[in-house]
Amino acid sequence: MTDPLHPPGAADDERPVLPSPRFAYDRHTWKEISFLLTSFPLAVLGFIYALTMLALGAGLTVTVIGLPLIAGGLAGARLLGKAERGRARKLLGVRIEEPSPLPRRREDGFFGWLWNGLKDPVGWRAVLYELIRLPWGILTFTVTLVGLFVLWPVLPFVARGLTNADRAMVRALLSPSDELERRIAELESDRGVVVDTAAADLRRIERDLHDGAQARLVNLAMGLGLAKEKLLEDPEAAAEMVGEAHGEVKLALRELRDLARGIHPAVLTDRGLDAALSSIASRCTVPVKVTAELPARPAEAIEGIAYFTVSELLQNVSKHSRATKASVDVWRSDERLLIQVQDDGQGGASLDKGTGMSGLAERLGAVDGLFVVDSPDGGGTTVTAELPWRDRS
């Protein structure tokens, strides 16, 4: 059965859709009443912890343990805040992102840890939450307990009003600090994507070298060694073996050239995105029209991501689309570089069908980019990608 507190497809930080309170008690009403009744004893414990930590820390600031005691107390307040977020999530349906952990770098040492702990906004707001929740907890506990015996017909409405205030308090004081906190979490995730992508590219290059050019060069060395041995005994056979070795050299050079083009094509470095995109369009199995209207060249990293994005998309057009024509448009809009690749194929492309598009979406997301796929069945495919514009240094 679908839980109305967290409908399918809803993000974790979206506000839940709560049913309207009714005279008849349902499970949501009992959860709210449970939250109000358990808030008082927990508020007492939290208040005692916060007040004791602040009093001891402030009183001992003249000694060497005062400030470390406050920093450790704020770390403990973070744990109390986490427990309260879990209780609010379970009983009130308030779903809030967890704050980012405090940065801990070995080179910062003790004083770096101390400074980060003392200026932790999440810990200080958790302390404030515990201090102001005691009088509120006493009020809500009293009203709820009396309401169970005197106001029980309208208690669902009273409980909803009281818990709405608790929801607002939790969101205001126990949420991540601000947009910066969410941004830090996104950057940490994006950093992982970049590292994984770089590792995968290195493995691909190593595999291509080992299976391609390296194997050919080994065969070439063996062939030239045999030719050297036969040079005096059978010159004609030696000449034939040298000819075969010459062919192997050409194939090895071609594979190395293709590998270098896959790492960073020379045409992109020398002539820019327009010429590079025209080059990969010429290798597509369907006719491709390329239009690039850029007033200047973007930064090398952005230019490279744009090139490999279009290259991957045109490979998908060649392999999967069954299209008869395609187009690539690149332009700048304000501080964004926009790319649009269209084809008139069979459509049906998506980010979860193993066509490499999910990897492209992750790569673009790692640099604050966007990746949108519009591909109805039988209606062709339009892929729009956005990258931040950065001027070339």
Side-chain angles (χ1 to χ4, degrees):
M1 181 178 294
T2 301
D3 186 354
L5 289 177
H6 192 45
D12 282 349
D13 58 348
E14 291 180 355
R15 296 188 177 184
V17 180
L18 293 171
S20 300
R22 299 175 296 173
F23 288 102
Y25 286 46
D26 58 12
R27 63 189 181 93
H28 304 298
T29 299
W30 284 117
K31 284 184 176 181
E32 292 174 339
I33 293 174
S34 300
F35 182 89
L36 295 173
L37 292 177
T38 56
S39 290
F40 172 61
L42 294 176
V44 172
L45 295 177
F47 182 85
I48 293 174
Y49 174 86
L51 190 62
T52 303
M53 181 267 293
L54 291 177
L56 285 177
L60 295 174
T61 51
V62 294
T63 69
V64 295
I65 65 172
L67 294 180
L69 181 61
I70 294 177
L74 292 174
R78 266 182 167 256
L79 297 178
L80 291 177
K82 182 177 182 179
E84 285 300 316
R85 282 189 295 273
R87 196 167 69 97
R89 184 181 304 112
K90 185 175 182 179
L91 298 179
L92 301 184
V94 179
R95 301 180 183 274
I96 299 174
E97 295 178 1
E98 291 295 326
S100 301
L102 287 175
R104 293 184 179 180
R105 295 176 296 183
R106 184 173 300 177
E107 59 270 18
D108 290 343
F110 171 77
F111 291 103
W113 168 83
L114 180 62
W115 174 244
N116 288 331
L118 290 176
K119 65 184 182 69
D120 177 22
V122 175
W124 282 112
R125 286 189 291 110
V127 169
L128 178 60
Y129 177 82
E130 297 297 343
L131 291 176
I132 68 176
R133 199 163 64 97
L134 179 59
W136 175 250
I138 295 174
L139 174 64
T140 57
F141 177 83
T142 304
V143 171
T144 306
L145 190 62
V146 173
L148 283 173
F149 298 97
V150 179
L151 303 173
W152 60 267
V154 296
L155 184 57
F157 300 91
V158 176
R160 177 59 55 83
L162 294 176
T163 52
N164 280 342
D166 277 299
R167 290 184 180 95
M169 193 182 305
V170 170
R171 290 192 181 100
L173 295 177
L174 298 182
S175 295
S177 295
D178 49 20
E179 186 64 27
L180 179 60
E181 280 284 339
R182 289 188 289 273
R183 181 64 180 150
I184 290 173
E186 292 175 0
L187 290 176
E188 288 177 347
S189 175
D190 292 343
R191 180 180 61 184
V193 172
V194 171
V195 171
D196 292 342
T197 300
D201 288 340
L202 287 175
R203 288 194 299 269
R204 176 183 59 82
I205 294 171
E206 180 182 9
R207 184 179 62 252
D208 291 344
L209 282 172
H210 182 272
D211 298 340
Q214 180 179 346
R216 292 193 180 279
L217 291 174
V218 170
N219 291 333
L220 172 63
M222 295 175 60
L224 289 176
L226 293 175
K228 181 180 179 181
E229 293 177 359
K230 289 183 175 292
L231 186 60
L232 297 178
E233 300 177 2
D234 191 353
E236 293 182 359
E240 183 178 351
M241 296 175 70
V242 170
E244 293 177 357
H246 185 251
E248 287 290 328
V249 170
K250 290 183 178 180
L251 292 175
L253 288 174
R254 183 184 304 169
E255 290 182 356
L256 288 173
R257 191 180 301 114
D258 293 339
L259 181 61
R261 185 185 295 117
I263 298 173
H264 195 84
V267 64
L268 179 63
T269 303
D270 298 337
R271 301 175 57 190
L273 199 56
D274 190 0
L277 296 183
S278 298
S279 175
I280 59 175
S282 65
R283 299 195 295 271
C284 187
T285 57
V286 301
V288 181
K289 180 182 178 182
V290 178
T291 303
E293 299 179 355
L294 298 176
R297 295 181 64 177
E300 294 181 1
I302 299 300
E303 194 175 60
I305 294 174
Y307 171 85
F308 288 110
T309 298
V310 175
S311 177
E312 181 73 20
L313 291 174
L314 290 183
Q315 287 183 29
N316 287 339
V317 171
S318 299
K319 296 177 181 178
H320 309 292
S321 70
R322 299 181 184 176
T324 59
K325 62 180 179 179
S327 64
V328 177
D329 296 286
V330 182
W331 70 98
R332 178 182 178 179
S333 177
D334 295 329
E335 296 303 313
R336 306 290 284 181
L337 175 64
L338 286 89
I339 304 167
Q340 192 169 79
V341 179
Q342 295 178 299
D343 67 66
D344 61 352
Q346 61 183 352
S350 68
L351 297 178
D352 56 359
K353 289 189 177 181
T355 57
M357 290 191 177
S358 58
L360 288 177
E362 291 179 352
R363 290 192 182 194
L364 267 67
V367 292
D368 287 343
L370 295 175
F371 191 83
V372 180
V373 179
D374 180 18
S375 184
D377 290 333
T381 299
T382 300
V383 178
T384 304
E386 289 189 19
L387 289 165
W389 179 277
R390 293 202 293 267
D391 293 325
R392 180 175 292 254
S393 59

